[in-house]
């Protein structure tokens, strides 16, 4: 089932999400719904707070960009209870980011190119790896959602001031996008 994407201003997007256990209610169905929602919205990543759940769950599909990044052919991964353990900020990269919860807003964000991450997959098998490159950027973006952060929190105060009216419009339900959303109640 395609779920609505929560839009900037929804309180759940600013909550720190909780770890979950294998007995989390209807977890398998939730993961299927998240994959369907991600596909419908044509995104590459979706975190549970973006569908109104303050839990540490995210899905990332880089297969959709494999034409430009062949190294990600077939990459579709579920991340349960992910935590960034360490950041190697000796090398950073600046790239434009967007977000399903911030339709039509794109800004350049500086992020480290290498991170140390722990997570469980959907079988609750534990992973502990150093991740590099574009995947590291996507993971940082998605896992920020689990810590109550959004990519606009990483831009300069000047840039944030320049998009202030766009952010306000989102909180007022004044936006257009091609997927199902849940705007802030007025």
């Amino acid at each position: 089932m395609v779920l609505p994407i929560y839009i900037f201003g929804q309180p759940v997007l600013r909550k720190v999400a909780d770890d979950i256990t294998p007995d989390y209610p209807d977890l398998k169905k939730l993961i299927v719904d998240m994959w369907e929602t991600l596909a419908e919205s044509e995104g590459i990543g979706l975190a549970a707070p973006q569908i109104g759940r303050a839990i540490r769950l995210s899905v990332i599909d880089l297969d959709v960009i494999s034409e430009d990044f062949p190294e990600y052919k077939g990459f579709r991964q579920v991340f349960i209870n992910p935590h960034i353990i360490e950041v190697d900020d000796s090398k950073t990269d600046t790239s434009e980011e967007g977000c399903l919860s911030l339709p039509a807003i794109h800004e350049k964000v500086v992020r480290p190119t290498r991170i140390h991450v722990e997570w469980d997959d959907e079988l609750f098998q534990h992973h502990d790896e150093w991740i590099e490159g574009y995947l590291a950027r996507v993971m940082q973006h998605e896992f920020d959602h689990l810590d109550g952060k959004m990519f606009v929190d990483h831009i300069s105060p000047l840039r944030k001031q320049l998009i202030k009216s766009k952010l306000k419009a989102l909180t007022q339900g004044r936006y257009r996008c091609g997927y199902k959303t849940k705007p802030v109640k007025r």
Side-chain angles (χ1 to χ4, degrees), residues 118-184:
E118 287 188 15
W119 77 91
D120 295 330
D121 60 29
E122 61 188 299
L123 301 175
F124 278 83
Q125 298 298 312
H126 190 69
H127 299 263
D128 181 337
E129 296 178 28
W130 279 94
I131 307 293
E132 298 185 29
Y134 189 69
L135 177 57
R137 171 175 292 280
V138 175
M139 288 173 118
Q140 288 171 81
H141 177 107
E142 294 308 322
F143 302 166
D144 271 356
H145 283 297
L146 307 178
D147 292 325
K149 298 177 190 164
M150 303 183 86
F151 83 88
V152 292
D153 299 334
H154 297 288
I155 63 176
S156 72
L158 175 60
R159 286 301 310 158
K160 201 159 190 180
Q161 187 63 35
L162 291 172
I163 65 167
K164 188 176 182 180
S165 63
K166 290 180 181 179
L167 294 173
K168 184 176 181 182
L170 290 176
T171 65
Q172 295 174 340
R174 293 184 290 122
Y175 61 88
R176 287 188 179 163
C177 62
Y179 47 87
K180 191 157 91 171
T181 64
K182 185 163 177 75
V184 178

Side-chain angles (χ1 to χ4, degrees), residues 47-64:
Q50 291 179 277
I51 55 159
R53 306 272 187 112
I55 59 172
R56 295 193 79 85
L57 172 63
S58 182
V59 296
I60 295 176
D61 180 359
L62 294 186
D63 185 63
V64 297

Side-chain angles (χ1 to χ4, degrees), residues 1-5 32-34 36-41 179-180:
M1 171 184 5
V2 175
L3 304 169
I5 305 283
V32 168
D33 290 348
M34 287 180 71
E36 288 178 17
T37 302
L38 182 62
E40 181 72 20
S41 60
Y179 47 87
K180 191 157 91 171

Side-chain angles (χ1 to χ4, degrees), residues 48-95:
Q50 291 179 277
I51 55 159
R53 306 272 187 112
I55 59 172
R56 295 193 79 85
L57 172 63
S58 182
V59 296
I60 295 176
D61 180 359
L62 294 186
D63 185 63
V64 297
I65 61 166
S66 63
E67 193 169 295
D68 295 324
F69 297 93
E71 65 271 28
Y72 296 121
K73 182 77 179 149
F75 186 94
R76 285 174 46 99
Q77 179 70 51
V78 174
F79 297 88
I80 298 172
N81 302 329
H83 293 275
I84 296 174
I85 305 303
E86 189 177 351
V87 173
D88 176 0
D89 54 11
S90 63
K91 186 176 177 197
T92 60
D93 174 61
T94 303
S95 289

Side-chain angles (χ1 to χ4, degrees), residues 107-121:
E107 290 292 325
K108 290 188 177 188
V109 178
V110 178
R111 293 197 188 265
T113 59
R114 187 170 179 258
I115 57 174
H116 179 198
V117 184
E118 287 188 15
W119 77 91
D120 295 330
D121 60 29

